Amino acid sequence: MANRMISDEDLFPLSIGAEAADQLFDWPEQSWKQLTSLGVLSSSIPESFGGNPLHYAELLQQSELLGKHCLTTSFILSQREAGVRRILVGPAHLQKQFLPGLASGELFVTVGMSQLTTSRQHQKPSLHVELLLEGDYQLDGEVPWVTAADHADAIVIGGTLDDGRQVLFLIPRGWPGLTIDPPMNLIVLRGSRTTTMRCDRLRIGSEWLLNGPAEFVLGKVGGGGLETSMLALGLTSAVVDYLRKEAVNRSEVEPILGEVLSEYQRIRSGITSILDRQSDDPSETLTIRARSTVLVIRTTQIALTLAKGAGLIHPHPVQRWVRQANFFLVWSCPRIVSDAVLTAFRFGSGEEILR
Ligand SMILES: Cc1cc2nc3c(=O)[nH]c(=O)nc-3n(C[C@H](O)[C@H](O)[C@H](O)COP(=O)(O)OP(=O)(O)OC[C@H]3O[C@@H](n4cnc5c(N)ncnc54)[C@H](O)[C@@H]3O)c2cc1C
């Protein structure tokens, strides 16, 4: 059976729960159930494992729609999807063990991989891996960021050997030597229950190895994929709907809205072009990532400027969008993207308008 694309109406329950998902430390149960019943959890998994797959372009469209309605739930899903992608290129026995349960929603996986790419790159590897004589591995150190770790059946964890090569494991939660901290006191996305995990002489066999040892198991750039950009565009389109409503009674909003929409369309066309040409040039994807980050930051700041003080009071959606937009500055953001964003933020003061 072909999978049906989800619609705005389907995701209305996620919008209702978006503020609670962002502010409470509770798992967003109702929103996750809605994703399950809509077939979203099966949409990235091949039919041979019980999935009902969408094409890549459709998956990206789905990410955008989800990001529009509830960034917390769609972010949790994005981390699960990162785990699913790793399992899909992992060994057959782990695919067989996990993919059917992931397709049905009975199982949940997440990832703790940023220590290989975007987190703690200025210090010694955060998670040390040693190959033992018996062929097992021993893991020691921290996995600094793991979303929904305490909800996961297994976690994709990346570590580094003494020779600098990297390895990825799929480690069941509750494995001896693995501890999960309480959720971090984040200012956003609290329902994601993001936390740190620690490995203390954790010993694991090679049957749990997903990838490596290799120099860059996640590719040379790491992070910053089109999926992240689509979530930023999704959040932007929620704000655009708000600006449209404001524009009805406020003439000053119309030209600003026009500029936001133009940049949104340029980014969207860029993504379509990458997909049409099947381009695998990372610089194109990273450019999209930087531009969509700048767009979501600027658009949410515009919305707050227009919403004024009222926009800072819970549960006005603008306060949530402004906080959540900041997340794109730090999440899955390789150095090259943050350099581009920093350049965009350097001072153009706007003072010519005051003269
Ligand atoms: C809500 C949330 C959820 C996340 N979920 C996941 C997840 O599920 N899985 C996952 O793998 N990742 C996840 N991440 C991680 C994310 O993708 C980034 O890797 C992370 O935000 C990078 O931040 P960091 O503080 O670890 O960076 P770091 O680079 O470690 O920076 C920390 C501090 O180190 C100092 N510092 C940084 N660079 C330098 C330097 N060059 N020289 C000297 N000092 C420096 C600064 O003081 C900085 O504040 C999540 C992040 C967030 C915010």
Side-chain angles (χ1 to χ4, degrees):
M1 186 183 67
N3 211 340
R4 183 177 68 86
M5 271 298 293
I6 50 172
S7 66
D8 271 318
E9 291 71 44
D10 291 331
L11 296 179
F12 188 61
L14 269 72
S15 289
I16 304 278
E19 182 68 13
D22 183 83
Q23 283 296 288
L24 305 179
F25 290 98
D26 302 334
W27 174 256
E29 187 69 39
Q30 289 311 318
S31 299
W32 196 258
K33 271 192 185 150
Q34 179 72 358
L35 293 193
T36 313
S37 67
L38 290 169
V40 171
L41 302 186
S42 67
S43 61
S44 58
I45 297 179
E47 277 175 28
S48 51
F49 294 107
N52 199 358
L54 291 175
H55 296 296
Y56 183 53
E58 293 171 324
L59 282 174
L60 290 179
Q61 217 177 313
Q62 180 171 272
S63 293
E64 180 177 6
L65 207 52
L66 288 162
K68 177 178 173 186
H69 289 275
C70 177
L71 193 68
T72 310
T73 309
S74 48
F75 169 60
I76 296 170
L77 178 70
S78 76
Q79 300 310 88
R80 182 203 99 122
E81 291 306 303
V84 167
R85 283 196 292 276
R86 290 293 140 198
I87 296 172
L88 282 170
V89 293
H93 67 275
L94 291 180
Q95 294 182 355
K96 212 168 134 194
Q97 187 175 344
F98 282 90
L99 291 175
L102 285 165
S104 67
E106 277 161 60
L107 294 180
F108 176 81
V109 294
T110 185
V111 292
M113 311 189 294
S114 60
Q115 62 280 5
L116 301 182
T117 53
T118 51
S119 177
R120 304 196 182 175
Q121 297 307 290
H122 57 291
Q123 55 193 62
K124 72 175 176 43
S126 175
L127 185 66
H128 177 253
V129 179
E130 188 183 345
L131 176 57
L132 304 175
L133 287 176
E134 303 84 343
D136 284 358
Y137 292 85
Q138 181 171 307
L139 279 57
D140 285 282
E142 282 189 1
V143 185
W145 300 92
V146 189
T147 288
D150 60 0
H151 202 78
D153 296 283
I155 303 118
V156 177
I157 293 180
T160 310
L161 291 157
D162 275 334
D163 63 8
R165 285 179 307 158
Q166 300 174 337
V167 268
L168 281 185
F169 295 97
L170 184 62
I171 307 187
R173 179 166 55 88
W175 195 269
L178 185 68
T179 50
I180 300 174
D181 283 359
M184 292 170 184
N185 191 10
L186 291 163
I187 64 154
V188 276
L189 308 177
R190 288 177 167 168
S192 73
R193 301 183 64 78
T194 299
T195 189
T196 296
M197 294 192 332
R198 289 159 216 285
C199 299
D200 181 19
R201 298 175 58 170
L202 183 156
R203 192 173 171 149
I204 195 154
S206 57
E207 67 275 21
W208 295 99
L209 193 61
L210 271 178
N211 201 340
E215 209 180 347
F216 297 103
V217 282
L218 300 173
K220 277 207 168 148
V221 182
L226 288 179
E227 298 78 12
T228 317
S229 299
M230 291 311 275
L231 291 180
L233 291 182
L235 186 56
T236 303
S237 56
V239 187
V240 161
D241 284 354
Y242 168 79
L243 295 179
R244 282 205 173 99
K245 283 189 201 128
E246 291 297 304
V248 173
N249 298 316
R250 300 168 77 172
S251 59
E252 72 273 26
V253 181
E254 196 64 49
I256 304 173
L257 177 59
E259 285 172 18
V260 168
L261 285 172
S262 299
E263 176 62 0
Y264 171 89
Q265 285 305 345
R266 279 193 291 270
I267 296 172
R268 269 315 234 121
S269 310
I271 293 170
T272 307
S273 163
I274 290 174
L275 295 176
D276 287 350
R277 288 178 290 114
Q278 298 182 347
S279 165
D280 57 3
D281 175 0
S283 73
E284 290 192 55
T285 304
L286 293 167
T287 303
I288 295 286
R289 173 74 171 87
R291 285 179 74 167
S292 53
T293 299
V294 173
L295 176 66
V296 75
I297 292 284
R298 287 200 174 134
T299 311
T300 51
Q301 295 294 329
I302 289 166
L304 181 60
T305 311
L306 294 167
K308 304 193 185 180
L312 286 178
I313 304 169
H314 284 287
H316 198 298
V318 167
Q319 53 76 30
R320 185 176 75 247
W321 295 330
V322 168
R323 285 183 293 103
Q324 291 183 339
N326 290 303
F327 173 61
F328 292 99
L329 297 171
V330 301
W331 172 51
S332 195
C333 199
R335 173 74 192 267
I336 190 165
V337 171
S338 50
D339 282 352
V341 171
L342 285 172
T343 305
F345 285 168
R346 286 167 76 176
F347 292 91
S349 67
E351 81 186 26
E352 56 282 2
I353 291 185
L354 299 172
R355 273 195 219 113

